[in-house]
Amino acid sequence: MASEALERIVERNQVWPRMAAKYGVENPLPPWKTSLDGLCDALDQAACDTAAPSFKERRDEEDVLSATRYADLPYPENQLVSLAHSLMARGLITEPELQQKLSAIRARLEA
Protein backbone atom coordinates (compact mmCIF):
# COMPACT_ATOMS: atom_id res chain seq x y z
CA MET A 1 0.00 0.00 0.00
CA ALA A 2 1.45 3.35 -1.03
CA SER A 3 0.44 6.47 0.83
CA GLU A 4 1.40 9.89 -0.49
CA ALA A 5 1.07 11.41 2.97
CA LEU A 6 3.35 8.83 4.58
CA GLU A 7 5.88 9.06 1.75
CA ARG A 8 6.02 12.86 2.19
CA ILE A 9 6.65 12.40 5.91
CA VAL A 10 9.62 10.15 5.16
CA GLU A 11 10.94 12.48 2.45
CA ARG A 12 10.78 15.58 4.69
CA ASN A 13 13.07 13.92 7.22
CA GLN A 14 11.71 16.15 9.95
CA VAL A 15 12.65 13.71 12.65
CA TRP A 16 12.77 14.64 16.30
CA PRO A 17 16.57 14.68 16.73
CA ARG A 18 16.89 17.20 13.87
CA MET A 19 13.93 19.32 14.97
CA ALA A 20 15.04 19.32 18.62
CA ALA A 21 18.55 20.42 17.64
CA LYS A 22 17.17 23.11 15.31
CA TYR A 23 15.01 24.63 18.05
CA GLY A 24 17.33 23.97 21.01
CA VAL A 25 15.06 21.42 22.71
CA GLU A 26 16.87 19.05 25.06
CA ASN A 27 14.08 16.51 25.67
CA PRO A 28 15.15 13.28 23.94
CA LEU A 29 11.54 12.29 23.22
CA PRO A 30 9.18 14.22 20.96
CA PRO A 31 6.13 15.80 22.62
CA TRP A 32 3.79 13.57 20.63
CA LYS A 33 5.32 10.30 21.94
CA THR A 34 2.93 10.08 24.91
CA SER A 35 -0.05 10.46 22.55
CA LEU A 36 1.37 7.69 20.36
CA ASP A 37 1.79 5.43 23.39
CA GLY A 38 -1.78 6.18 24.47
CA LEU A 39 -3.14 5.40 21.02
CA CYS A 40 -1.24 2.10 20.95
CA ASP A 41 -2.59 1.22 24.42
CA ALA A 42 -6.14 2.04 23.29
CA LEU A 43 -5.75 -0.10 20.16
CA ASP A 44 -4.40 -2.96 22.25
CA GLN A 45 -7.61 -2.82 24.32
CA ALA A 46 -9.92 -2.62 21.27
CA ALA A 47 -10.29 -6.38 20.87
CA CYS A 48 -14.03 -6.03 20.22
CA ASP A 49 -13.38 -4.16 16.96
CA THR A 50 -12.19 -6.76 14.48
CA ALA A 51 -10.73 -4.06 12.20
CA ALA A 52 -8.35 -2.89 14.92
CA PRO A 53 -5.10 -4.85 15.04
CA SER A 54 -4.44 -6.98 18.08
CA PHE A 55 -1.37 -6.21 20.17
CA LYS A 56 0.58 -8.99 18.42
CA GLU A 57 -0.56 -7.95 14.93
CA ARG A 58 0.27 -4.30 15.62
CA ARG A 59 3.73 -5.08 17.01
CA ASP A 60 4.53 -7.60 14.28
CA GLU A 61 3.52 -5.12 11.55
CA GLU A 62 5.44 -2.34 13.29
CA ASP A 63 8.56 -4.50 13.46
CA VAL A 64 8.38 -5.46 9.77
CA LEU A 65 7.56 -1.96 8.50
CA SER A 66 10.14 -0.30 10.76
CA ALA A 67 12.83 -2.66 9.50
CA THR A 68 11.91 -2.39 5.82
CA ARG A 69 9.73 0.37 4.40
CA TYR A 70 10.45 2.92 7.15
CA ALA A 71 13.99 1.80 8.05
CA ASP A 72 15.38 5.26 7.25
CA LEU A 73 13.35 6.84 10.05
CA PRO A 74 14.60 6.73 13.63
CA TYR A 75 12.51 5.52 16.55
CA PRO A 76 9.82 6.66 17.46
CA GLU A 77 9.06 8.19 14.04
CA ASN A 78 9.21 4.75 12.43
CA GLN A 79 6.72 3.47 15.03
CA LEU A 80 4.34 6.35 14.30
CA VAL A 81 4.48 5.98 10.51
CA SER A 82 4.22 2.18 10.74
CA LEU A 83 1.09 2.51 12.87
CA ALA A 84 -0.47 4.96 10.43
CA HIS A 85 0.39 2.58 7.58
CA SER A 86 -1.31 -0.34 9.38
CA LEU A 87 -4.41 1.69 10.24
CA MET A 88 -4.75 2.83 6.64
CA ALA A 89 -4.28 -0.73 5.35
CA ARG A 90 -7.20 -1.79 7.58
CA GLY A 91 -9.40 1.10 6.49
CA LEU A 92 -9.49 2.64 9.97
CA ILE A 93 -8.23 5.92 8.53
CA THR A 94 -8.23 7.01 4.91
CA GLU A 95 -5.58 8.88 2.96
CA PRO A 96 -7.79 12.03 2.77
CA GLU A 97 -8.44 11.88 6.53
CA LEU A 98 -4.74 11.53 7.25
CA GLN A 99 -3.88 14.39 4.92
CA GLN A 100 -6.55 16.60 6.54
CA LYS A 101 -5.20 15.86 10.03
CA LEU A 102 -1.61 16.52 8.94
CA SER A 103 -2.66 19.83 7.33
CA ALA A 104 -4.49 20.89 10.49
CA ILE A 105 -1.47 20.08 12.66
CA ARG A 106 0.91 21.92 10.31
CA ALA A 107 -1.39 24.98 10.32
CA ARG A 108 -1.37 25.04 14.15
CA LEU A 109 2.42 24.70 14.26
CA GLU A 110 2.94 27.47 11.74
CA ALA A 111 0.42 29.87 13.33
Side-chain angles (χ1 to χ4, degrees):
M1 178 204 77
S3 164
E4 289 181 35
L6 296 179
E7 293 304 319
R8 277 197 303 275
I9 289 171
V10 173
E11 288 171 9
R12 274 195 191 114
N13 197 30
Q14 290 180 315
V15 296
W16 182 246
R18 284 188 59 237
M19 299 287 80
K22 179 178 178 179
Y23 294 103
V25 177
E26 295 179 13
N27 189 341
L29 291 176
W32 47 263
K33 177 66 170 112
T34 54
S35 296
L36 174 61
D37 291 343
L39 177 59
C40 289
D41 289 346
L43 285 169
D44 294 345
Q45 300 301 316
C48 61
D49 184 354
T50 58
S54 69
F55 171 78
K56 182 173 180 353
E57 291 170 329
R58 181 181 63 75
R59 287 303 311 271
D60 288 348
E61 289 174 16
E62 178 186 318
D63 290 346
V64 169
L65 289 166
S66 293
T68 57
R69 187 170 196 139
Y70 304 116
D72 291 339
L73 291 174
Y75 176 84
E77 282 86 349
N78 59 9
Q79 179 187 17
L80 177 65
V81 176
S82 295
L83 178 61
H85 182 115
S86 294
L87 296 178
M88 289 175 61
R90 287 182 164 72
L92 295 171
I93 187 169
T94 65
E95 178 86 16
E97 289 170 331
L98 179 61
Q99 294 218 16
Q100 187 276 327
K101 295 288 186 189
L102 290 170
S103 293
I105 291 167
R106 182 158 301 282
R108 283 196 314 261
L109 290 173
E110 293 174 350

